[in-house]
């Protein structure tokens, strides 16, 4: 795992965007694993700007999102499908038919999850998986105790997650209490993983995820098992990390990061 600490949220978001853009330029037909949440809104705005100003080309990309709420009709403004259409898909030249999210209102959820995994495989697997982190330590909606080998499935949301996300609903009590999510095992199969976390409220969970022991109580700790995982944080989210000096040294000195300093 590599940890990169940028001084501000803006710079952290820009670096993550540049890494995604580099992936798309290196392999125009990339399969991207995408995430939602407040943190990603700024990142998608930067990607849209790169599309407009630098011609970043999404036309051959395919995408699979991590998760979706159960029980909302697809066109509901609170679905992650609506979020993705609004923040990214309508702003870049991705073919909407190549964008995938699990259908949270499918009549047979187990079958939907099975087919979602199948579609991912048919597309050659995820080249780059983007991740945020929830206050419960979840990646996707893999709440505490999610098996580190779990696959796409339905998951009940914890009170911490409901408290975190309910304010995004016009009527907080309408937030679904269950979601479909890629499993931890599914996520770990991506060829490369990029986690972005910003703000002081993420400092405790980032310290646990990066430097704590691997445990299903904090799903994000499973990323320590991945051979190519980069965690980008701003100063505020890095506050509780023990190894800050070492992480700074790596970013400033390793040739791999020369183009991004
Ligand atoms: C939701 C998503 C997660 C995401 C999290 C972070 O819960 N299911 O995949 O990591 O939000 O949210 P935010 O960026 O708003 O802190």
């Amino acid at each position: 795992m590599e940890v990169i600490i940028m001084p501000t949220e803006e710079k952290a978001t820009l670096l993550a965007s540049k890494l995604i853009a580099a992936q798309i330029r290196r392999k125009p037909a990339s399969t991207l694993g995408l995430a939602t949440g407040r943190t990603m809104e700024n990142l998608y705005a930067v990607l849209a700007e790169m599309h407009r100003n630098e011609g970043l080309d999404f036309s051959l990309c395919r995408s699979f999102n991590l998760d979706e709420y159960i029980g909302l009709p697809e066109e509901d403004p609170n679905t992650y499908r609506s979020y993705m259409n609004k923040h990214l898909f309508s702003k870049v030249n991705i073919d909407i038919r190549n964008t995938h999210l699990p259908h949270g209102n499918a009549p047979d959820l187990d079958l939907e999850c099975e087919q979602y995994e199948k579609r991912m495989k048919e597309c050659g697997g995820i080249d780059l998986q983007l991740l945020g982190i929830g206050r419960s330590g979840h990646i996707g909606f893999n709440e505490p105790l999610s098996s580190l080998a779990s696959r796409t499935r339905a998951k009940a949301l914890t009170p911490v997650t409901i408290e975190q996300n309910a304010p995004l609903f016009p009527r907080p009590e309408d937030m679904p209490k269950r979601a479909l999510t890629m499993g931890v095992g599914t996520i770990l199969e991506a060829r490369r993983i990029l986690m972005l976390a910003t703000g002081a409220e993420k400092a405790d969970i980032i310290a646990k995820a990066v430097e704590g022991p691997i445990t299903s109580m904090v799903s994000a700790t499973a990323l320590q098992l991945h051979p190519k995982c980069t965690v980008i944080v701003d100063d505020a989210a890095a506050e509780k990390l023990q190894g800050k000096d070492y992480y700074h040294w790596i970013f400033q000195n390793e040739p791999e990061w020369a183009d991004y300093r």
Side-chain angles (χ1 to χ4, degrees), residues 17-30 32 46-47 49-58 61 260:
S17 310
K18 283 182 179 171
L19 292 173
I20 296 168
Q23 167 69 39
I24 297 172
R25 293 197 172 104
R26 197 165 51 237
K27 183 179 174 189
S30 285
L32 304 172
V46 176
L47 288 179
E49 204 178 294
M50 287 174 162
H51 168 67
R52 275 197 313 275
N53 301 341
E54 302 166 23
L56 182 63
D57 183 8
F58 290 78
C61 290
Y260 298 99

Side-chain angles (χ1 to χ4, degrees), residues 34-41 66-69 80 83 130-136 138-143 157 161 164-165 168 175 179-181 195-198 201-202:
L34 298 177
T36 51
R38 280 160 281 214
T39 315
M40 298 305 156
E41 289 180 21
L66 285 164
D67 45 18
E68 178 62 278
Y69 291 114
Y80 283 161
Y83 170 107
L130 179 64
L131 294 176
I133 187 168
R135 270 180 12 225
S136 69
H138 69 210
I139 48 178
F141 270 133
N142 290 286
E143 299 288 35
L157 304 176
T161 297
Q164 186 185 338
N165 288 4
L168 300 174
M175 179 184 159
L180 296 183
T181 179
M195 172 177 272
L196 176 64
T198 57
E201 69 281 6
K202 297 285 170 72

Side-chain angles (χ1 to χ4, degrees), residues 51-159:
H51 168 67
R52 275 197 313 275
N53 301 341
E54 302 166 23
L56 182 63
D57 183 8
F58 290 78
S59 62
L60 299 177
C61 290
R62 284 170 296 210
S63 73
F64 286 86
N65 265 74
L66 285 164
D67 45 18
E68 178 62 278
Y69 291 114
I70 289 177
L72 299 179
E74 202 165 282
E75 61 285 359
D76 186 296
N78 296 300
T79 59
Y80 283 161
R81 163 54 79 182
S82 298
Y83 170 107
M84 290 308 300
N85 288 350
K86 175 173 170 200
H87 293 289
L88 186 68
F89 300 153
S90 63
K91 308 248 167 88
V92 299
N93 65 336
I94 196 163
D95 184 337
I96 200 78
R97 291 167 302 183
N98 289 335
T99 65
H100 307 269
L101 286 94
H103 295 110
N105 60 346
D108 183 339
L109 293 174
D110 289 342
L111 182 66
E112 171 61 15
C113 293
E114 214 174 282
Q115 285 173 346
Y116 199 63
E117 292 265 346
K118 200 162 149 244
R119 285 199 289 275
M120 253 183 279
K121 278 207 184 78
E122 283 163 2
C123 288
I126 307 287
D127 291 304
L128 176 67
Q129 176 66 57
L130 179 64
L131 294 176
I133 187 168
R135 270 180 12 225
S136 69
H138 69 210
I139 48 178
F141 270 133
N142 290 286
E143 299 288 35
L145 280 189
S146 289
S147 158
L148 302 187
S150 50
R151 312 300 306 184
T152 303
R153 70 215 184 289
K155 196 73 198 160
L157 304 176
T158 58

Side-chain angles (χ1 to χ4, degrees), residues 250-261:
I250 290 177
F251 185 62
Q252 290 309 329
N253 293 280
E254 288 289 345
E256 183 191 349
W257 296 109
D259 292 345
Y260 298 99
R261 292 198 272 268

